Amino acid sequence: PPLEQLYVHESVDSVIPKWAFVEAFDGLSIPVELVGDDREYEETDGVVSYVPRPEYLNAGWVHCARAGYDEFDTEAYAAAGVPLTNSSGIHGATVGEVAVGFMLSFARLLHVYRDHQGRREWYTPEYERPFTVEGETLCVVGLGTIGEGIARRADALGMDVVGVRRSDDPVPGVSDLFAPDELHDAIADARFVAIALPHTPVTDGMFAEDEFAAMREDAYLINVARGPIVDESALVSALKSGAVAGAGVDVFETEPLPETSPLWDFEEVIVTPHKGSATNRYHLDIAELVKENVVRYRDGDDLRNRVA
Ligand code: NDP
């Protein structure tokens, strides 16, 4: 049956302004309504939500407002025959810029100067410490939308970019591709290792003690994907022992990052509060994806970003 109604669950408000998001659907062929948890769904309903809810399995189609849909039970959607789509494909520039920002800061010491600025200090670092990202090697692990977004930008800055993915499809800006079982070879020579993987049973804890040991001691880890891909206590140990030089981290095992986390305290760790995708037009980017799928659903075409 055709879609008659699109519901926006209020949970989207944790990343985008819910009313601006609803307004972004002005002129859509079906009505759009903001809803909370007090609702049943039927086959003629589409739902956009940030969080999973069991009652969505009665809807006609569900769109996860995030790219990482790891909290949604894809098997249950497949079993119920309800298509689930996600918001992949729109984070190349947003998350890519954050990753590049981390690298530029570590190289040019912007974070260090800013810390000293808070104390009105005209700080001069050790001569050996600053460097340029130009000429340095970056290894991007996971080469989808975000990985490519990072790779293209790093390439434009004159970095040598290598990458890891399961398929061997070439990626613009990436000079050398490694398979997942070659991860240690791929990261061994890199000054920066950027994680842009989905969180899956396979990638859970993929970066732990052995990976930090395989990295250069002057290397920086960047995680803009999902917290549990990195064993956080192993990262803290590696930072303490000097197995790695620093980390730019946007995502954590527990969010918000607990006040007691040691990660807050390292000078060479930049903590950003899961804001890789945050821009003033994020709601429009997500609405574009959803609108495209409303049209595809109506026309009986394959939905874009179908993940179950
Ligand atoms: P994509 O699906 O476009 O890309 C993921 C890539 O990872 C794929 O191209 C895939 O390539 C590769 N991959 C998957 N599994 C493995 C594996 N085991 N080993 C190596 N490579 C693998 O997703 P996005 O780039 O849009 O997003 C990636 C993740 O980033 C999301 O899942 C989400 O969790 C996170 N994210 C974080 C945000 C933030 O605010 N910080 C915002 C948005 C997303 P191949 O198939 O060739 O292996």
Side-chain angles (χ1 to χ4, degrees):
L3 282 190
E4 289 171 11
Q5 176 80 43
L6 184 66
Y7 290 110
V8 172
H9 188 263
E10 60 188 6
S11 58
V12 298
D13 210 45
S14 60
V15 278
I16 51 178
K18 57 189 177 190
W19 290 113
F21 184 58
V22 169
E23 274 168 31
F25 291 101
D26 271 359
L28 193 72
S29 54
I30 53 173
V32 183
E33 191 185 328
L34 191 68
V35 292
D37 274 339
D38 49 349
R39 184 157 294 267
E40 298 294 316
Y41 296 94
E42 43 191 294
E43 257 186 308
T44 51
D45 299 332
V47 191
V48 183
S49 184
Y50 188 75
V51 294
R53 291 284 181 260
E55 55 270 26
Y56 296 166
L57 290 168
N58 298 320
W61 156 53
V62 178
H63 182 84
C64 167
R66 324 179 69 177
Y69 54 93
D70 34 310
E71 289 173 13
F72 285 70
D73 183 349
T74 50
E75 280 173 22
Y77 280 86
V82 178
L84 174 71
T85 53
N86 76 341
S87 296
S88 199
I90 58 174
H91 303 97
T94 55
V95 181
E97 286 184 5
V98 168
V100 167
F102 282 142
M103 293 194 284
L104 288 171
S105 192
F106 288 128
R108 311 299 316 139
L109 306 186
L110 304 181
H111 59 302
V112 177
Y113 301 136
R114 181 75 203 196
D115 286 348
H116 285 274
Q117 183 180 336
R119 302 191 285 271
R120 299 178 176 263
E121 283 168 5
W122 187 260
Y123 175 72
T124 301
E126 265 174 69
Y127 181 77
E128 300 298 328
R129 200 167 159 198
F131 59 99
T132 61
V133 298
E134 181 174 84
E136 295 288 350
T137 299
L138 162 69
C139 177
V140 183
V141 186
L143 285 164
T145 304
I146 293 175
E148 180 179 334
I150 299 170
R152 281 177 180 271
R153 284 166 179 77
D155 180 53
L157 290 170
M159 301 182 76
D160 183 17
V161 186
V162 303
V164 180
R165 74 180 309 173
R166 294 167 306 182
S167 71
D168 51 14
D169 294 345
V171 180
V174 179
S175 63
D176 211 356
L177 276 183
F178 292 82
D181 64 3
E182 302 170 314
L183 177 66
H184 287 203
D185 293 334
I187 62 180
D189 295 329
R191 189 69 190 271
F192 297 96
V193 174
I195 304 173
L197 294 162
H199 179 221
T200 66
V202 174
T203 65
D204 187 84
M206 190 184 259
F207 280 79
E209 194 181 344
D210 291 351
E211 287 63 43
F212 300 132
M215 283 168 64
R216 285 165 52 168
E217 289 184 356
D218 63 355
Y220 293 84
L221 181 77
I222 288 165
N223 187 7
V224 287
R226 278 291 178 271
I229 298 169
V230 173
D231 178 336
E232 224 164 79
S233 65
L235 174 62
V236 168
S237 300
L239 289 161
K240 278 188 182 149
S241 70
V244 297
V249 197
D250 189 48
V251 288
F252 304 89
E253 281 175 356
T254 304
E255 297 180 5
L257 182 64
E259 230 181 280
T260 51
S261 170
L263 286 176
W264 293 108
D265 298 323
F266 293 96
E267 184 175 58
E268 289 295 82
V269 171
I270 304 178
V271 168
T272 52
H274 201 147
K275 289 290 174 280
S277 60
T279 70
N280 53 8
R281 48 163 296 123
Y282 192 31
H283 63 297
L284 300 176
D285 294 342
I286 299 174
E288 278 311 309
L289 263 181
V290 175
K291 283 193 259 186
E292 180 181 338
N293 271 341
V294 168
V295 172
R296 285 170 177 259
Y297 197 103
R298 186 194 62 203
D299 296 346
D301 293 336
D302 291 342
L303 297 181
R304 187 169 157 198
N305 287 351
R306 183 161 178 182
V307 292

